[in-house]
Amino acid sequence: GENVEQHPSTLSVQEGDSAVIKCTYSDSASNYFPWYKQELGKRPQLIIDIRSNVGEKKDQRIAVTLNKTAKHFSLHITETQPEDSAVYFCAPRNKGSARQLTFGSGTQLTVLP
Amino acid sequence: GAVVSQHPSRVICKSGTSVKIECRSLDFQATTMFWYRQFPKQSLMLMATSNEGSKATYEQGVEKDKFLINHASLTLSTLTVTSAHPEDSSFYICSASPGQGGNYEQYFGPGTRLTVT
């Protein structure tokens, strides 16, 4: 099965600074790489995703970069705001028929005002 | 679009009883539904994958006789926790995927907080 490692587990940044979270996966057949944001007691929300034929994708203050050779992808948040504070999960997906997501251990991001 | 609901949102039950959680896709048909469990400050752990009309596939370490999953229609899956114990207290989240037309995205329900006393 897929082994997923996510770092760091906690990250505190000053408002306006950037935050980067890295996810390493083991299954070279994975072809879809999403990032989810989860607020306390709520459902995970898809914030950005990237497919294996693309190296980088950006959506306003959020970007994701993918290095398929090294089997890692990263979430970049620029100009952080207090409402960005949440737990972020990477969840690479396999190509198998079940299309299962394997969630990383999560990163608690705290943006300090 | 792509709304998934779960019912109930919170449930408290006594040890030894059973509780059923429903997961519905409201505006699309879900070929595949997934059930996750999340303990406090931990990640989502996949419990099982179910396809409409088929038996669920359980992840290693998940007791299929304890966590009964039924996916009887393209819009409804249920998870029944049988003979619940305090250690089953957790946040249970379902997701639903169209699984067709190239759309394999998982749309998550709002979760069910189960407390077993």
Side-chain angles (χ1 to χ4, degrees), chain A residues 8-69:
Chain A
S9 56
T10 61
L11 179 59
S12 291
V13 299
Q14 288 294 138
E15 183 176 357
D17 287 350
S18 295
V20 181
I21 305 170
K22 184 176 178 179
C23 184
T24 304
Y25 61 95
S26 63
D27 188 350
S28 56
S30 293
N31 64 348
Y32 173 68
F33 307 94
W35 284 95
Y36 290 87
K37 175 183 180 182
Q38 187 182 32
E39 297 176 349
L40 191 62
K42 302 285 181 66
R43 77 187 86 194
Q45 288 181 292
L46 177 67
I47 56 170
I48 196 165
D49 56 16
I50 194 167
R51 299 186 187 273
S52 57
N53 58 343
V54 178
E56 182 174 356
K57 182 178 177 181
K58 190 172 180 180
D59 182 4
Q60 299 184 350
R61 298 187 297 108
I62 296 173
V64 54
T65 57
L66 171 64
N67 184 327
K68 277 219 82 180
T69 303

Side-chain angles (χ1 to χ4, degrees), chain B residues 66-110:
Chain B
K66 180 172 180 61
F67 298 99
L68 302 178
I69 292 171
N70 184 283
H71 190 169
S73 78
L74 285 171
T75 59
L76 173 64
S77 176
T78 59
L79 167 68
T80 301
V81 183
T82 63
S83 186
H85 290 284
E87 56 265 31
D88 299 323
S89 299
S90 188
F91 192 48
Y92 291 85
I93 306 175
C94 71
S95 71
S97 177
Q100 49 192 319
N103 185 356
Y104 296 100
E105 185 168 341
Q106 291 186 28
Y107 301 97
F108 287 86

Side-chain angles (χ1 to χ4, degrees), chain A residues 32 36 38 41-44 46 49 89 93 97-101 103-106, chain B residues 4 32 34 36 38 42-44 46 49 59 91 93 104-106 108-110 113:
Chain A
Y32 173 68
Y36 290 87
Q38 187 182 32
K42 302 285 181 66
R43 77 187 86 194
L46 177 67
D49 56 16
F89 294 99
R93 188 177 72 195
S97 59
R99 301 294 204 280
Q100 294 171 340
L101 299 171
F103 279 81
S105 53
Chain B
V4 176
T32 308
F34 303 85
Y36 297 86
Q38 186 176 33
Q42 292 190 23
S43 186
L44 282 77
L46 180 65
T49 302
E59 295 300 299
F91 192 48
I93 306 175
Y104 296 100
E105 185 168 341
Q106 291 186 28
F108 287 86
R113 175 77 56 192

Side-chain angles (χ1 to χ4, degrees), chain A residues 55-113:
Chain A
E56 182 174 356
K57 182 178 177 181
K58 190 172 180 180
D59 182 4
Q60 299 184 350
R61 298 187 297 108
I62 296 173
V64 54
T65 57
L66 171 64
N67 184 327
K68 277 219 82 180
T69 303
K71 289 189 279 188
H72 65 73
F73 61 112
S74 298
L75 174 69
H76 305 255
I77 306 175
T78 58
E79 299 171 36
T80 53
Q81 301 167 2
E83 52 264 37
D84 294 329
S85 296
V87 180
Y88 292 81
F89 294 99
C90 63
R93 188 177 72 195
N94 63 31
K95 260 195 216 177
S97 59
R99 301 294 204 280
Q100 294 171 340
L101 299 171
T102 302
F103 279 81
S105 53
T107 297
Q108 172 69 62
L109 173 65
T110 303
V111 180
L112 305 167

